[in-house]
Amino acid sequence: MNLVSDLAPRIRDAALLEGDFVLSSGERSRFYVDKYLFSTEPGLLRDVAAALAEQVPDGVERLAGVELGAVPLVVATALVTGLPYVIVRKSAKEHGSSAGRSIEGHLNGGETVVLVEDVVTTGTQAVRAAGHLREAGVEVASIVAVLDRREEDGEELGGFPFRALLRMGDLRVVKSI
């Protein structure tokens, strides 16, 4: 059985909520995929990480994940691939030994990185994180998300190569917003 096609009904059952929701984009939706409901289930997280690992091209030296939602995903994917990872903050930390940093962990200039994201609605947070990585001197090989909520198809997100394991249609949701 195809791992990705097996994930769709499992993620739908675990994390698809119906109601009236305001998305991070500010838009209203009848559907919400709660990433914490699928990333906190060990068996499902393991299989999502295996599917994400399959999307990591040869030559990638490090993974990155956007805080907070993508952290369990990037950790699990790092365990599958054996690649080290960094966490990209939404804003620079203001205290402690890492004050002023927007990236946590070791990152070496010139490395090739894949950015792992949970759910993409507009892609703003993922593109911002990829920009922080680029500013740190690394090449962002691609952004890989578990779910793409966007209505339009596209293999690019804000100028970065983009792939998603699933789209809302895979969860049997026709009009997500």
Side-chain angles (χ1 to χ4, degrees):
M1 179 176 282
N2 181 325
L3 183 58
V4 173
S5 63
D6 179 51
L7 287 176
R10 293 171 62 203
I11 288 176
R12 178 186 170 86
D13 290 346
L16 182 67
L17 306 174
E18 294 185 45
D20 182 28
F21 304 97
V22 177
L23 305 176
S24 62
S25 64
E27 296 185 55
R28 295 190 90 79
S29 175
R30 297 175 306 133
F31 301 98
Y32 184 76
V33 178
D34 188 333
K35 61 194 163 245
Y36 298 113
L37 294 178
F38 70 77
S39 66
T40 57
E41 291 295 324
L44 187 50
L45 177 60
R46 178 193 59 237
D47 294 345
V48 167
L52 288 168
E54 290 177 359
Q55 301 300 311
V56 176
D58 290 340
V60 168
E61 299 159 283
R62 192 170 303 271
L63 302 173
V66 182
E67 74 161 333
L68 175 70
V71 171
L73 298 170
V74 74
V75 170
T77 306
L79 290 170
V80 172
T81 62
L83 293 171
Y85 69 94
V86 294
I87 298 169
V88 183
R89 292 182 170 280
K90 293 178 185 172
S91 60
K93 188 174 175 184
E94 296 181 14
H95 61 280
S97 64
S98 58
R101 283 197 303 222
S102 60
I103 299 173
E104 298 292 343
H106 295 287
L107 188 64
N108 302 309
E111 287 183 317
T112 303
V113 176
V114 164
L115 178 68
V116 176
E117 182 61 297
D118 45 35
V119 178
V120 169
T121 301
T122 63
T124 302
Q125 291 177 8
V127 170
R128 187 175 298 130
H132 288 309
L133 290 165
R134 184 181 279 163
E135 289 167 9
V138 300
E139 176 190 343
V140 179
S142 66
I143 298 170
V144 179
V146 175
L147 179 68
D148 184 1
R149 281 193 70 111
R150 298 173 309 145
E151 295 296 324
E152 70 279 355
D153 287 328
E155 294 183 8
E156 190 174 278
L157 188 64
F160 295 95
F162 174 71
R163 297 180 214 167
L165 299 179
L166 302 168
R167 297 186 54 83
M168 290 301 282
D170 297 320
L171 303 182
R172 297 190 317 256
V173 174
V174 179
K175 179 85 169 129
S176 64
I177 296 177

